Amino acid sequence: RRQLTSALQQMMIGYHMALSSKELTDTAAELADAAYQSTITQKNLGMATDTAVQNAEKSLVAARQQQQSLDSTLTSLRQNLSIMTGGTADTPIEIGPIPAPDLSRIATMNPDTDIDQAIPYCQEIKSLRHTSEASQALYENKTLSLAETKGKLKTKLESLYQKVLETKTSYEAAQTALESATITMNGNDLKYQMGMLGRLEYLQTKVGYLQQKMTYDMAVLNLKQAIENYDWALYGIVELE
């Protein structure tokens, strides 16, 4: 049950990671189309070459292909989520948002003490505890193996904890960058409404903003996954190296 729940959580987070680039991908395609139309207009006025038109068309085709690829990925992930939750590939499902990372949880993490909770759930340790102690050699080998496995589990917890701290730092940096980008974008929205920015220039600024927003969304999801990975390790859902 824990393994299935963990796998579903990872797939849900993966779906939202793909979804985080949807608006950016769509806007990039809109920008490519606007640039293509603009280049054709310039060509008709003698201000652009056939090569420029061909390059703009190639960019548009590439942008639309990226759109189609992302849509296919999202459809596949939705189908897999439906199947793993008891439906079929064609079952319509509604996928809600991922809950925000619990930053207060990070403050309570401590691999030095959490190892005591993780040990009873570790499958490798549970298996070793059921091995034979029929001879002194077997007993010593079992004791050594248990100590080594506990050491690996402790190292893994420390690694997962460091990953949480790293993703938290990335999240905080992305949050600050997005706040700045949002202020700039709000100003560009106003300029566009007032006719101070053309559509092509406005779409260019919007793409820049959406790139920053995607970076933030990905940082949030990466932090969420890092916290989940640590917490699941305490319940035996972990691969020891």
Side-chain angles (χ1 to χ4, degrees), residues 39-48:
T39 306
I40 290 178
T41 299
Q42 291 176 5
K43 169 66 169 56
N44 292 336
L45 295 173
M47 299 172 62

Side-chain angles (χ1 to χ4, degrees), residues 115 125 146-156 158:
I115 184 68
I125 292 176
L146 277 170
E148 289 179 347
T149 304
K150 289 178 182 178
K152 289 181 179 180
L153 180 58
K154 176 69 180 303
T155 298
K156 186 65 176 181
E158 290 172 344

